[in-house]
Amino acid sequence: SSTSLANKDPDTRRRALGLELVNLRLGLAKPWLTHGKIMTGARATLPHLSALVLQAERSHLLVPIHWSDTFAASQPQDALGPVSFIVPGVAESSEAYLITLAGPERLRHWRVTGGIRVSIDKLPHDAFVLLTDDRQAFSQLAGYLRRQLPRAARLHRELAALRLQESIQVTQQLSASLTAAHDLQERLGQARRELQLCDQHLASQKFELAYAT
């Protein structure tokens, strides 16, 4: 778009918030993007899913890639799972973590033919997977996440509020019978409740819960 990100209209604000979240994710992956090398990709147990593997010293970062039926990369909004990745060339002493801006989550993993198999119950659309036996590298990553989490949670909340407002505006343009439909009103009500819960977590400085809401 050629419009300034300083504009205050909802579409521009949504773009600005989304870009800031993308930049926070890129900061998370900076050591691998700057000093890493591309390794053999990881196979997934779900169709239309694979992972780019970046190695920096003793740490491997998996970047999940979602493919459409036309083999173009796509980005789902809902979490996928359960799913496993088989990652070649990883030390057996490595630990595995699901990495989002909400923080790291330890994952089950074990040695199989062809590499290390990592099991994930739910794979968020914005997640990475880290395999490492380097405690210092993990500590640096965890420190970055702690510093950025409050901002990420507030960005996530503002984006959710904009999406809710957009949904309300769309429903107001529908016919009265569709607007009054129980399923539609239930979904809008659920979105409002989740936004209120997010506000409560932010007020209590429970940023991890706020981001996950």
Side-chain angles (χ1 to χ4, degrees):
S1 173
S2 60
T3 59
S4 170
L5 290 176
N7 291 350
K8 300 301 183 183
D9 61 280
D11 286 344
T12 302
R13 184 60 183 154
R14 187 168 57 250
R15 282 196 300 121
L17 294 169
L19 284 173
E20 190 171 350
L21 277 174
V22 167
N23 285 334
L24 291 179
R25 291 186 69 227
L26 289 175
L28 186 161
K30 184 178 180 180
W32 292 269
L33 296 174
T34 304
H35 305 293
K37 55 183 178 180
I38 298 176
M39 308 299 290
T40 302
R43 294 183 287 113
T45 54
L46 288 180
H48 307 309
L49 182 65
S50 62
L52 174 70
V53 181
L54 301 173
Q55 181 183 3
E57 298 183 357
R58 289 153 42 204
S59 301
H60 293 72
L61 188 73
L62 275 64
V63 183
I65 301 174
H66 307 265
W67 302 97
S68 69
D69 291 333
T70 59
F71 295 99
S74 61
Q75 185 77 337
Q77 293 302 309
D78 297 327
L80 300 175
V83 61
S84 294
F85 290 100
I86 298 176
V87 192
V90 176
E92 195 165 353
S93 57
S94 295
E95 295 293 338
Y97 303 89
L98 183 70
I99 304 293
T100 69
L101 290 171
E105 175 187 336
R106 195 179 292 270
L107 296 172
R108 300 187 305 276
H109 63 288
W110 60 96
R111 172 68 64 183
V112 296
T113 301
I116 296 291
R117 181 169 181 144
V118 182
S119 177
I120 306 169
D121 292 329
K122 288 187 177 181
L123 177 67
H125 72 275
D126 59 348
F128 298 111
V129 177
L130 173 67
L131 294 109
T132 186
D133 62 358
D134 186 335
R135 292 186 178 181
Q136 183 177 359
F138 176 77
S139 178
Q140 290 175 346
L141 178 64
Y144 174 87
L145 292 171
R146 283 193 299 272
R147 292 190 300 273
Q148 303 301 332
L149 177 56
R151 179 59 182 162
R154 293 187 177 97
L155 291 170
H156 192 74
R157 188 267 178 212
E158 191 170 348
L159 274 170
L162 284 172
R163 286 194 293 267
L164 175 59
Q165 185 59 38
E166 184 179 76
S167 297
I168 292 172
Q169 290 174 351
V170 170
T171 60
Q172 290 173 346
Q173 299 173 16
L174 300 175
S175 66
S177 59
L178 289 174
T179 302
H182 175 75
D183 184 57
L184 176 59
Q185 292 303 319
E186 178 60 30
R187 291 187 181 187
L188 291 175
Q190 179 64 27
R192 291 188 182 96
R193 289 190 292 272
E194 290 178 354
L195 202 58
Q196 291 171 353
L197 181 60
C198 181
D199 287 338
Q200 292 172 11
H201 290 322
L202 287 173
S204 303
Q205 297 189 358
K206 297 178 180 178
F207 300 115
E208 182 177 346
L209 293 175
Y211 185 87
T213 302

